[in-house]
Amino acid sequence: MATVRELKRKSLQIRKDLLTIIHAAKGGHTGGSLSNADILTALYYEVMNHDATNPKWPERDRFVASKGHCVESLWCILADLGYFPKEELSTYSQFGTRLIGHPNNKVPGVEMNTGALGHGLAVSVGMALAAKKDGKSYRVFCLMGDGEQAEGSVWEAAMAGAHYKLDNLVGIIDRNRLQISGSTEDVMALEPLDRKWEAFGWHVVSVDGHDYDALLKAFAGVPEIAGKPTLLLANTVKGKGVSFAENKPEWHHHVPSDEQLKQAHEELDAALAALADEEERSETHA
Ligand SMILES: Cc1ncc(C[n+]2csc(CCOP(=O)(O)OP(=O)(O)O)c2C)c(N)n1
């Protein structure tokens, strides 16, 4: 079992790695990859049953990255876990690579090709329904964007998830309050988002999407209500962890310059050093 401190350390390293590959490729979705890094770290390093040496293990929990444009955090995690060699990360977005700018199932560990927003939840409903029909106990986790909620197909899938009583299905919204062109509330107002999902028959849990204690508690509780799918409303900060990218709409797909990459790495290294200090102090006092 990973400790919260280990998860925090892991996600800081993942943030450094994803900035490195976006900088090298001169393209990527920086803000949203940083905002979902803690959610993915909690899922892949603690919550989900999965096996990098056996990616098609029938009993594995399924993860669907419906906000597929934020693939960089996923690539860095799958590489770190050994789904493919870490050196391959340097090919990200290069001609001929399988590590393209959206998840695709040529890469071990990827369940579904995504990128066109609004499709991941419907396929996740199918996976969760298949588990029920097959008498399997795996769970299905589907990560959506908040801007993605403007897609009507999300709400058709939400209806189906409740209709089929899929309590093995967890929808997660990376609620960073920004989408490609600005605030979600300006582009397509979502609030009250929790009440909308409740009205569609889901059990809604709101958490700070950067707080590991809260994330782990919420995931561990699923299914809290038998027969209801769960919607985790994860309140996050777009660009989280990099001071000059946080809450800045332009960092949706802004690429760090050499100088910005250096500064971001310094900030993340400082956070890693602070974690190490905290660990040393807690061991001294133990
Ligand atoms: C069907 C579809 N329409 C448009 C796009 C272009 N697009 C890519 S990212 C994005 C904004 C998504 O915002 P959000 O879901 O909030 O993601 P995040 O802010 O977490 O990156 C859009 C509109 C797309 N990928 N798919």
Side-chain angles (χ1 to χ4, degrees):
M1 223 178 103
T3 65
V4 165
R5 196 175 285 120
E6 282 162 357
L7 294 172
K8 283 185 185 167
R9 190 181 300 129
K10 190 57 85 180
S11 65
L12 289 167
Q13 188 56 52
I14 296 299
R15 286 185 163 92
K16 285 185 69 180
D17 293 347
L18 74 88
L19 288 161
T20 301
I21 66 170
I22 288 173
H23 172 260
K26 298 188 176 57
H29 288 86
T30 313
S33 253
L34 289 167
S35 74
N36 68 29
D38 295 310
I39 298 165
L40 288 192
T41 301
L43 284 174
Y44 272 96
Y45 293 92
E46 186 58 26
V47 175
M48 291 199 304
N49 288 318
H50 66 108
D51 180 0
T53 65
N54 187 9
K56 294 280 181 199
W57 177 40
E59 310 303 325
R60 72 193 181 282
D61 288 333
R62 272 62 165 172
F63 173 73
V64 172
S66 194
K67 48 171 289 197
H69 58 285
C70 296
V71 73
E72 298 84 3
S73 42
L74 181 65
W75 287 159
C76 292
I77 286 174
L78 293 179
D80 181 60
L81 288 167
Y83 278 91
F84 56 84
K86 207 160 180 189
E87 306 77 66
E88 202 176 326
L89 282 176
S90 63
T91 71
Y92 166 63
S93 228
Q94 305 299 316
F95 184 71
T97 186
R98 56 183 177 172
L99 301 185
I100 59 171
H102 291 88
N104 68 93
N105 57 19
K106 289 200 179 87
V107 182
V110 172
E111 302 287 348
M112 176 189 171
N113 295 6
T114 48
L117 294 164
H119 299 293
L121 190 65
V123 176
S124 300
V125 164
M127 290 176 180
L129 186 56
K132 292 277 183 199
K133 299 254 180 228
D134 293 345
K136 303 257 185 204
S137 59
Y138 64 79
R139 298 190 289 176
V140 183
F141 298 88
C142 175
L143 178 65
M144 296 171 280
D146 50 5
E148 183 179 2
Q149 304 301 297
E151 300 286 349
S153 48
V154 170
W155 300 96
E156 295 179 35
M159 262 191 291
H163 176 81
Y164 291 109
K165 301 188 182 349
L166 300 176
D167 54 11
N168 54 348
L169 174 63
V170 184
I172 306 157
I173 299 180
D174 181 2
R175 182 73 172 114
N176 57 34
R177 297 186 173 266
L178 291 173
Q179 64 117 297
I180 196 167
S181 47
S183 150
T184 53
E185 297 320 281
D186 291 342
V187 178
M188 183 58 74
L190 297 174
E191 294 298 339
L193 192 54
D194 51 353
R195 299 224 306 273
K196 285 179 181 159
W197 279 88
E198 275 162 11
F200 272 71
W202 288 55
H203 174 56
V204 178
V205 184
S206 289
V207 292
D208 174 343
H210 303 301
D211 176 342
Y212 282 102
D213 289 312
L215 283 169
L216 296 181
K217 185 165 171 265
F219 282 129
V222 174
E224 224 168 277
I225 301 181
K228 271 198 177 197
T230 298
L231 190 277
L232 194 75
L233 199 49
N235 294 295
T236 58
V237 174
K238 202 155 173 174
K240 175 73 177 175
V242 176
S243 63
F244 50 88
E246 286 190 359
N247 278 321
K248 299 273 181 356
E250 61 272 23
W251 276 89
H252 178 78
H253 43 28
H254 197 79
V255 175
S257 64
D258 295 352
E259 188 47 44
Q260 285 170 327
L261 180 70
K262 186 165 165 285
Q263 189 187 330
H265 276 192
E266 282 168 6
E267 289 181 14
L268 294 163
D269 282 336
L272 280 165
L275 260 187
D277 280 355
E278 188 187 291
E279 186 167 18
E280 208 177 296
R281 276 200 308 279
S282 71
E283 276 166 10
T284 321
H285 290 118

